[in-house]
Amino acid sequence: MKKKITAILCIVLAATMCITLFACNDGMFDGSFKKEATAEEAKAAWDSATKAILGEEAVAALALAGDDESAVKGWSGIAFTVSAENTTAASAEDSSLDVNVNLSASGSVLFDMSGFSVNANINGNVQDKAVDAKIGAYMKDDVYYSDMTFNKAVMQTKADLSGTSLIPDINDMLGETLSSVSQAIASIGLDYTANILAAMPYEELSALGLKAYINTSGDYNRVKFEFPVEFLARLNDVSEGETEAYLETVANASVSLIVVTDKETDAFSGAKVDMEYSFKADTDNAAAGSSSKMSMSISDAAEITDYPANMEDFKPVEELTPSEVSTFFTDMMDSLGALMSF
């Protein structure tokens, strides 16, 4: 049983650490959803998002830097925000686990990586170790800007990509790191939206009791899909033989997806996912539980407009001393180690 609880926790932790991201244009996802969508309206919205993100043949085309295709058909980039609250606790015999992590992120990334502006905040605790991190990663006119805080370790730097840095190795490392951070944060939410669309055939979801509501106010047609609890098992890649046992651990669950299309063109304009669920598994000598509340959405970003006002004042990377670099990365890895320890 202890192994089974551990396995359940691993699934939950993997889902809650990978999930999280996105919300964009004011008004795009606003409004009440009381009117039921017709089967035709619901299927049309679903197909629009599926074709834009997964392609005509439902093959993932989640391309970022280095690929010729856009990650979303017709889009130049992604604008996003993230909101998530995750709590996990477990005890078995003489061991225990206590994790409480909150994540928020926002920004926009062009798919060709010619520009991006990403901000992320993580705070909470892993066991008795506090985690408090702020990451800002920006790129404009071939210059990378970094604003990073890990507990008390702070670094604000900029690095010229043109190769004029006096310390090219550090310059290249910083540029590659920031580019990876930007791509990772943007692609997590995109991948997650794609996973929802690809997790189960639409017809199978309908048979399980998928509900759909429509809102047509303003410039958009919005269809909100409310998923049955069985969808969680498929989304978290639980095998068919383990589905029943998995669902027994679900204390409550609410999962919805809003798909937005443009009224004039019928083009896919954005998507928003809202989730709230908790898991619990108890035996005579072991207990485990996890809860998550999150919201994410995506929309097209044709240009980057949310750069911080003071980033030109950041310290050039070639002016950093070896001691400054060593101290910062030591403190950073110590802070990140708490997140990786479980």
Side-chain angles (χ1 to χ4, degrees), residues 48-59:
S48 175
T50 300
K51 290 178 181 179
I53 296 178
L54 300 179
E56 295 288 342
E57 302 300 325
V59 176

Side-chain angles (χ1 to χ4, degrees), residues 7-300:
I8 292 171
L9 271 178
C10 288
I11 294 173
V12 174
L13 286 171
T16 56
M17 289 301 291
C18 291
I19 295 171
T20 50
L21 172 66
F22 296 36
C24 337
N25 302 340
D26 291 341
M28 179 176 287
F29 306 105
D30 294 342
S32 62
F33 291 88
K34 297 180 179 179
K35 179 182 177 182
E36 287 196 32
T38 65
E40 292 76 14
E41 290 170 333
K43 186 67 164 56
W46 187 274
D47 288 348
S48 175
T50 300
K51 290 178 181 179
I53 296 178
L54 300 179
E56 295 288 342
E57 302 300 325
V59 176
L62 305 180
L64 288 174
D67 290 335
D68 294 332
E69 296 183 69
S70 168
V72 180
K73 184 177 180 181
W75 288 13
S76 302
I78 282 183
F80 64 89
T81 65
V82 183
S83 170
E85 302 172 10
N86 301 312
T87 301
T88 299
S91 61
E93 298 177 355
D94 58 349
S95 61
S96 63
L97 174 67
D98 180 21
V99 179
N100 188 339
V101 177
N102 300 317
L103 167 69
S104 63
S106 64
S108 48
V109 177
L110 299 180
F111 292 138
D112 64 5
M113 298 308 293
S114 61
F116 58 77
S117 175
V118 173
N119 293 280
N121 294 276
I122 304 173
N123 63 76
N125 69 278
V126 177
Q127 299 294 69
D128 58 352
K129 191 163 189 176
V131 176
D132 187 4
K134 297 178 182 179
I135 301 173
Y138 319 100
M139 207 279 278
K140 181 180 181 182
D141 298 330
D142 293 331
V143 178
Y144 279 104
Y145 301 83
S146 167
D147 186 0
M148 295 187 288
T149 300
F150 292 88
N151 290 333
K152 296 181 179 180
V154 181
M155 180 180 285
Q156 291 183 322
T157 59
K158 56 185 177 182
D160 190 347
L161 278 185
S162 63
T164 59
S165 171
L166 299 178
I167 311 176
D169 290 340
I170 295 180
N171 187 19
D172 291 345
M173 178 186 69
L174 181 61
E176 183 177 344
T177 299
L178 297 183
S179 179
S180 298
V181 167
S182 308
Q183 292 188 52
I185 292 178
S187 63
I188 284 173
L190 182 56
D191 286 347
Y192 197 75
T193 304
N195 287 340
I196 287 179
L197 294 168
M200 296 178 73
Y202 182 79
E203 291 73 18
E204 186 175 338
L205 277 170
S206 297
L208 284 174
L210 177 70
K211 296 180 180 180
Y213 302 89
I214 191 167
N215 179 297
T216 59
S217 61
D219 298 328
Y220 302 105
N221 289 321
R222 310 166 188 81
V223 176
K224 180 179 182 180
F225 298 93
E226 295 184 351
F227 296 92
V229 68
E230 289 84 358
F231 179 73
L232 272 178
R234 186 67 65 88
L235 187 62
N236 288 323
D237 200 27
V238 178
S239 65
E240 187 172 342
E242 294 293 326
T243 297
E244 184 176 347
Y246 177 88
L247 292 178
E248 288 178 357
T249 70
V250 179
N252 62 72
S254 174
V255 185
S256 68
L257 168 68
I258 297 175
V259 172
V260 181
T261 55
D262 185 270
K263 273 187 177 180
E264 292 187 4
T265 65
D266 287 330
F268 173 60
S269 299
K272 181 182 181 186
V273 178
D274 286 300
M275 281 187 143
E276 185 170 1
Y277 57 83
S278 61
F279 295 84
K280 187 175 182 179
D282 295 322
T283 66
D284 292 338
N285 58 1
S290 178
S291 64
S292 292
K293 183 178 181 180
M294 58 201 74
S295 180
M296 32 199 156
S297 63
I298 58 175
S299 67
D300 184 20

